[in-house]
Amino acid sequence: MSSVATLHGADVHTGHDDAHHGHHHETFISKYVFSQDHKMIAKQFLVTGIIWAIIGGMFSVIFRLQLGYPDATFPILEDFFGHWAKGGRIEPEFYYALVTMHGTILVFFVLTAGLSGTFANFLIPLQVGARDMASPMLNMLSYWFFFTASIVMFSSLFVQTGPASGGWTIYPPLSALGDASSGSKIGMDLWLVSMALFIVSSLLGGLNYISTILNLRTKGMSMTRLPLTVWSLFFTAVLGVLSFPVLLSGAILLLFDRNMGTSFFLSDIVINGKILPNEGGSAILFQHLFWFLGHPEVYIILLPAMGMSSEIISVNSRKPIFGYMAMVGSLFAIAILAFLVWAHHMFVTGLNPFLGSVFVLLTLLIAVPSAIKVFNWLTTLWRGSIRFTPGMLFAIGFVSLFISGGLTGIFLGNSGLDLHLHDTYFVIAHFHIVMGVASFFGMFAGVYHWYPKMFGRYLNNTMAYIHFWVTIIGAYLIFWPMHYEGLAGMPRRYYDYSNWQSFKQFGGLNEFISFVAMIVFATQLLFVFNFFYSMFKGRKVTSSNPWGANTLEWTTPINPGHGNWPGEIPEVYRGAYDYAKDGREFTPQNTPLGENESGDHH
């Protein structure tokens, strides 16, 4: 850690020497395992995130088999899952555990740790012009806490009573009482411990990102010259640091209720005719604690995708981003409003209707900054000379999904309508499109765009285009029809709908959705193959700035060492979006101003 501190403070020549001395003593363990180089830590987050995404996606394919073909048996399931899938049909208890683990893994381990952990680590030092993070040591710990959380969560899949099964929101009393179901036993304790470790990881990372952005910008890099990627990662980190501790408190109090006889979330409960001694707790209190993180969490996942899409759309439209300050302002507004809307998840809990109307207003207000962002993306694309690189396609796909998924949020934000739509497939359709798939598209856009900087090679374009088209068409085919099931009142998380006359009509539709889900999952495996294959066999990058971009990461060597720049850190003279200006196609941030050039245009 001290060596990097000297890199920052020392004059250029000693910094250069230090960076080189660092290379001579590196072993495999210090370079690849316990690395303190932000670029290697980013790759660790990314690869761990990819592994989790395969597991979480696989779970959804398994429970879609049950939903699409409720009467069929699949003997292969019994080979894999033993007594959880007797006779080739998954057991109802195991179905609920699969749904729970699918949500937990994808929301927290893939779209939070995988997305923020990868791109905040990789891009912040490179784009602000720093040798590394403010504290490389804490950065390394942040990854290893995440890794430990992963191991604990993974181990819960192998305990005899099975993993946690209370839905990804883990509402008490189901999650607080070990006797409630097999998925409320040791698997639930492991879930809570894993989440506690995961939150520590997020806090270590977030504090590091914030201090790096505020303190380690290179000369000339004022806050208003930061790329939008860095702004979005900054607000993401602030959201995480302020809201994750609330979920930590909820998880720890729940552990107390489960194992120490306390009654934070329990009161007046009868199990099998036996009255429990717990009094005075409130299950609704847990919902407040959960959603006070849970709603900012939506934006912790979405903001990095927004920032990266802004950057990629500007670079590949060959135009300045439209309304830079409006983009920063809308990020700020979203970050503030994200904290004021948590109870819109709780309209059906018996919330005072007046209080509900306040949350309705705040929820609909958050559409304003979101609309500003959409408008600015579309006007950036308008009349641009667009290059449809794979990264650009995924960034445009992100905008499409964000619009179509966001519109259904207006329905759910209305407390009167929500009473009917709550906990139906309409909710699943809404948040999977706007948060799940859209954020994945932002993540894919980032991987395709910065892969040459990460690994010095390109991904295969043909596989990338197949990946894009199958995924976006598939995503709409899977989640769009679910809105109609939800409007008909079809509840979520049920094991078998074929016994209801009213939901039986959707049998064919459910089968279709399950079929498409399997195709889309197979296409993600094509991406994974492309990712690992290209690392060793991809086309080599020959130019240090292959996309003709303005931000500082493209001023480093093709394969930057620890310390990023071999000589001096470049000085910044202009904003990040000087495209098609003064007769030049692009003007990097470290290009000094010419004779008759004015400073920043926003």
Side-chain angles (χ1 to χ4, degrees), residues 270-336:
V270 182
I271 293 191
N272 296 335
K274 183 178 140 224
I275 300 175
L276 296 191
N278 304 81
E279 274 184 35
S282 162
I284 304 296
L285 169 64
F286 180 84
Q287 293 194 25
H288 279 292
L289 294 176
F290 182 89
W291 288 114
F292 193 81
L293 160 92
H295 201 83
E297 171 67 20
V298 172
Y299 293 99
I300 288 171
I301 288 172
L302 268 170
L303 289 181
M306 288 177 170
M308 293 192 294
S309 298
S310 301
E311 173 73 22
I312 293 166
I313 285 173
S314 178
V315 170
N316 289 299
S317 301
R318 312 312 288 149
K319 270 179 66 185
I321 192 84
F322 185 91
Y324 173 87
M325 287 313 279
M327 290 299 251
V328 175
S330 59
L331 284 170
F332 183 51
I334 287 172
I336 289 178

Side-chain angles (χ1 to χ4, degrees), residues 144-167:
W144 285 103
F145 267 104
F146 167 51
F147 186 78
T148 314
S150 293
I151 298 298
V152 174
M153 189 68 80
F154 193 62
S155 67
S156 78
L157 299 173
F158 299 96
V159 295
Q160 193 176 359
T161 49
S165 65

Side-chain angles (χ1 to χ4, degrees), residues 51-74:
I51 293 166
W52 269 122
I54 296 169
I55 297 171
M58 193 68 233
F59 287 170
S60 67
V61 170
I62 297 165
F63 66 69
R64 275 308 326 175
L65 276 177
Q66 164 61 33
L67 292 173
Y69 311 93
D71 303 324
T73 53
F74 303 93

Side-chain angles (χ1 to χ4, degrees), residues 8 128-135 211-218:
H8 288 300
V128 303
R131 296 271 181 214
D132 204 308
M133 282 288 175
S135 169
S211 35
T212 306
I213 294 168
L214 293 180
N215 298 326
L216 296 183
R217 302 191 304 281
T218 183

Side-chain angles (χ1 to χ4, degrees), residues 149-356:
S150 293
I151 298 298
V152 174
M153 189 68 80
F154 193 62
S155 67
S156 78
L157 299 173
F158 299 96
V159 295
Q160 193 176 359
T161 49
S165 65
W168 77 280
T169 52
I170 309 292
Y171 282 176
L174 184 58
S175 59
L177 300 168
D179 300 337
S181 75
S182 57
S184 297
K185 294 189 165 48
I186 183 76
M188 185 65 71
D189 286 318
L190 289 169
W191 191 96
L192 292 164
V193 170
S194 169
M195 284 312 295
L197 290 164
F198 171 78
I199 290 167
V200 173
S201 153
S202 295
L203 294 175
L204 289 173
L207 291 168
N208 220 346
Y209 308 150
I210 293 167
S211 35
T212 306
I213 294 168
L214 293 180
N215 298 326
L216 296 183
R217 302 191 304 281
T218 183
K219 193 173 174 198
M221 179 64 87
S222 62
M223 291 297 274
T224 52
R225 286 175 177 171
L226 287 173
L228 289 168
T229 340
V230 177
W231 271 112
S232 68
L233 293 164
F234 174 71
F235 286 123
T236 303
V238 171
L239 284 175
V241 165
L242 294 176
S243 63
F244 263 117
V246 181
L247 181 63
L248 182 61
S249 66
I252 290 171
L253 296 180
L254 193 51
L255 277 169
F256 283 177
D257 273 12
R258 291 173 54 78
N259 302 303
M260 311 228 179
T262 56
S263 303
F264 291 106
F265 306 128
L266 296 172
S267 190
D268 310 324
I269 290 180
V270 182
I271 293 191
N272 296 335
K274 183 178 140 224
I275 300 175
L276 296 191
N278 304 81
E279 274 184 35
S282 162
I284 304 296
L285 169 64
F286 180 84
Q287 293 194 25
H288 279 292
L289 294 176
F290 182 89
W291 288 114
F292 193 81
L293 160 92
H295 201 83
E297 171 67 20
V298 172
Y299 293 99
I300 288 171
I301 288 172
L302 268 170
L303 289 181
M306 288 177 170
M308 293 192 294
S309 298
S310 301
E311 173 73 22
I312 293 166
I313 285 173
S314 178
V315 170
N316 289 299
S317 301
R318 312 312 288 149
K319 270 179 66 185
I321 192 84
F322 185 91
Y324 173 87
M325 287 313 279
M327 290 299 251
V328 175
S330 59
L331 284 170
F332 183 51
I334 287 172
I336 289 178
L337 284 165
F339 281 107
L340 304 176
V341 295
W342 78 92
H344 69 206
H345 299 266
M346 299 168 57
F347 288 144
V348 295
T349 57
L351 193 71
N352 177 321
F354 173 73
L355 198 58

